[in-house]
Amino acid sequence: MEIKITKTTAPKAKPTDESKLGFGKIFTDHMFLMDYSEERGWYDPRIVPYGPIALDPASSVLHYGTEIFEGMKAYRNENGDITMFRPMENIRRMNNSAERLCLPQLDEEFALKALDTLVALEKDWVPHSEGTSLYLRPFMYGADPHLGVHKVHSATFVIIYSPVGAYYAEGLNPVKIIIEDEDVRAVRGGTGYAKCGGNYAASLRAGARAEAKGYTQVLWLDGVERKYVEEVGSMNVMFKVAGKIVTPALTGSVLPGITRKSCIELLRGWGYVVEERLFSIDELLAAAKDGTLEEAWGTGTAAVVSPIGKLCYKDAEYTVTGGKIGSLTQKLYDELTAIQWGKADDKLGWCHKVI
Ligand SMILES: *Cc1c(COP(=O)(O)O)cnc(C)c1O
């Protein structure tokens, strides 16, 4: 399929102060759109000026939450190349999310071509300063204009881009996390492994409560027993306990993060034992009490890694790594960011060159 490109006649001014970019506040000049119907399959792939999307008020997404998305980045390397980090992993995960929500499958190669074509067109929007990047947000929603509850027959796939600032403008500050023992994010058999908007909707109340109490995010427990650790905020979570790395297994309610996967691959390459298993809150707190909990951190595309300095459970607070960033957390951050920005040898072939 040929992508039809209609360029804007009114390009926006690019941000001049890259230290004020923040996250997801400004968008580039263009967006990609493509429609799907059962009769035609995917059709009309096009790049058009960024702007509002017309939706029938009865559209399935507005009533039944038929929406999935991805989050990835394009990086400007020192040699002038623009690269993405393991983009096929995101595209495959999007197809797994689509399968769960009865949304249509994308052709993987075509989806990558759409991402590449739009990045090449918007290359001047990829910021230059250390730690900045172009955040890529592909998403898909059910567009059936019927209120009957049934699988989706028509859908739209959209890609928008946003230049984002350095996540850690002031260094990697450890965050304070509260363990959530009331709300749950996802349940096994539900949509936890899918990257869908509905999971986020379900997580907002606990996040808001945590913030009101002075915590950055929540540590999610499993939805059945509220006993096993699952994720931290919208990141995967890892612990270093007595020299070994422990991370929750992908039981179906945990999102299979690409940063998680990459950290596991790096850690194993460095000779660490990485256990993907059930990890109970009792085991975590026992390790925090007896000093064997050496480090704890979240992993995700936006922050790469986020060190955990404090854990609170039922009003008791536990300090991790003396409230500082652990050396292994720092090493993971340094190695991953070096690969992503093209400063380290890409031995594992993770970088995809766009231009
Ligand atoms: C996107 C996401 C992650 C992190 O995935 P990455 O591929 O590493 O960015 C973790 N948990 C949730 C709930 C997510 O939505």
Side-chain angles (χ1 to χ4, degrees), residues 69-72 85 89-90 93 135 137 185 192 194-196 199-200 220 230-237 253-262 299-304:
F69 66 95
E70 275 302 323
M72 51 212 288
F85 184 71
E89 296 281 339
N90 292 87
R93 182 169 69 190
Y135 185 78
R137 171 54 63 89
R185 193 191 76 91
K195 211 167 172 72
C196 65
N199 291 343
Y200 278 68
W220 296 108
E230 299 221 311
E231 299 202 50
V232 59
S234 54
M235 304 177 94
N236 294 112
V237 67
S253 45
V254 172
L255 197 286
I258 294 153
T259 319
R260 173 189 183 277
K261 179 176 179 171
S262 305
T299 69
T301 296
V304 188

Side-chain angles (χ1 to χ4, degrees), residues 13 16 27 46 82 87 91 117 130 142 154 172-173 197 204 243 268 344:
T16 44
F27 297 93
R46 58 203 186 273
I82 295 173
I91 294 169
T117 307
E130 170 102 30
S154 61
L172 275 89
N173 281 327
L204 296 178
R268 288 190 176 142

Side-chain angles (χ1 to χ4, degrees), residues 129-143:
S129 321
E130 170 102 30
T132 61
S133 57
L134 187 67
Y135 185 78
L136 318 181
R137 171 54 63 89
F139 61 103
M140 190 196 295
Y141 55 86

Side-chain angles (χ1 to χ4, degrees), residues 245-250 260-261 264 268 274-278:
I245 315 304
V246 185
T247 191
L250 300 178
R260 173 189 183 277
K261 179 176 179 171
I264 291 173
R268 288 190 176 142
V274 183
E275 297 175 346
E276 297 177 69
R277 61 173 172 90
L278 295 181

Side-chain angles (χ1 to χ4, degrees), residues 13-311:
K14 309 235 172 12
T16 44
D17 186 354
E18 292 186 349
S19 70
K20 296 212 167 64
L21 285 172
F23 179 80
K25 293 189 292 193
I26 57 172
F27 297 93
T28 66
D29 284 321
H30 301 91
M31 60 185 184
F32 174 91
L33 289 159
M34 173 165 77
D35 299 306
Y36 173 90
S37 74
E38 266 183 346
E39 305 76 52
R40 298 175 67 181
W42 287 107
Y43 64 94
D44 198 12
R46 58 203 186 273
I47 288 173
V48 296
Y50 184 93
I53 297 173
L55 269 183
D56 190 293
S59 292
S60 151
V61 63
L62 296 179
H63 303 272
Y64 308 125
T66 48
E67 191 265 359
I68 57 171
F69 66 95
E70 275 302 323
M72 51 212 288
K73 285 174 172 175
Y75 307 86
R76 186 181 294 280
N77 296 3
E78 270 161 15
N79 67 0
D81 290 354
I82 295 173
T83 58
M84 291 181 204
F85 184 71
R86 311 186 82 174
M88 257 319 171
E89 296 281 339
N90 292 87
I91 294 169
R92 288 194 194 115
R93 182 169 69 190
M94 192 160 199
N95 271 339
N96 289 336
S97 302
E99 196 279 331
R100 180 64 184 83
L101 273 81
C102 286
L103 284 159
Q105 293 289 298
L106 291 164
D107 179 282
E108 291 171 2
E109 291 300 332
F110 187 77
L112 185 60
K113 180 177 151 184
L115 287 160
D116 278 352
T117 307
L118 191 56
V119 168
L121 182 70
E122 305 288 52
K123 62 181 188 310
D124 294 339
W125 282 93
V126 184
H128 294 75
S129 321
E130 170 102 30
T132 61
S133 57
L134 187 67
Y135 185 78
L136 318 181
R137 171 54 63 89
F139 61 103
M140 190 196 295
Y141 55 86
D144 292 25
H146 309 294
L147 295 180
V149 179
H150 52 64
K151 90 183 256 293
V152 165
H153 302 285
S154 61
T156 302
F157 175 62
V158 189
I159 309 172
I160 55 174
Y161 292 166
S162 171
V164 296
Y167 198 88
Y168 293 112
E170 279 122 43
L172 275 89
N173 281 327
V175 292
K176 285 174 71 179
I177 298 297
I178 188 162
I179 298 165
E180 172 64 45
D181 57 3
E182 190 185 327
D183 287 4
V184 297
R185 193 191 76 91
V187 293
R188 267 160 255 171
T191 56
Y193 70 88
K195 211 167 172 72
C196 65
N199 291 343
Y200 278 68
S203 77
L204 296 178
R205 184 172 74 173
R209 275 198 304 239
E211 257 179 59
K213 288 188 192 156
Y215 293 88
T216 311
Q217 256 304 346
V218 302
L219 189 75
W220 296 108
L221 301 180
D222 75 277
V224 180
E225 298 175 75
R226 292 186 184 57
K227 177 175 173 191
Y228 298 104
V229 173
E230 299 221 311
E231 299 202 50
V232 59
S234 54
M235 304 177 94
N236 294 112
V237 67
M238 297 188 174
F239 304 92
K240 182 161 174 259
V241 184
K244 286 196 225 169
I245 315 304
V246 185
T247 191
L250 300 178
T251 49
S253 45
V254 172
L255 197 286
I258 294 153
T259 319
R260 173 189 183 277
K261 179 176 179 171
S262 305
C263 284
I264 291 173
E265 289 170 29
L266 285 178
L267 288 162
R268 288 190 176 142
W270 294 338
Y272 284 95
V273 173
V274 183
E275 297 175 346
E276 297 177 69
R277 61 173 172 90
L278 295 181
F279 188 54
S280 73
I281 187 67
D282 297 339
E283 194 182 344
L284 171 61
L285 297 179
K289 280 184 205 154
D290 70 16
T292 50
L293 177 63
E294 294 160 7
E295 299 185 32
W297 66 93
T299 69
T301 296
V304 188
V305 298
S306 176
I308 297 172
K310 224 167 220 153
L311 284 168

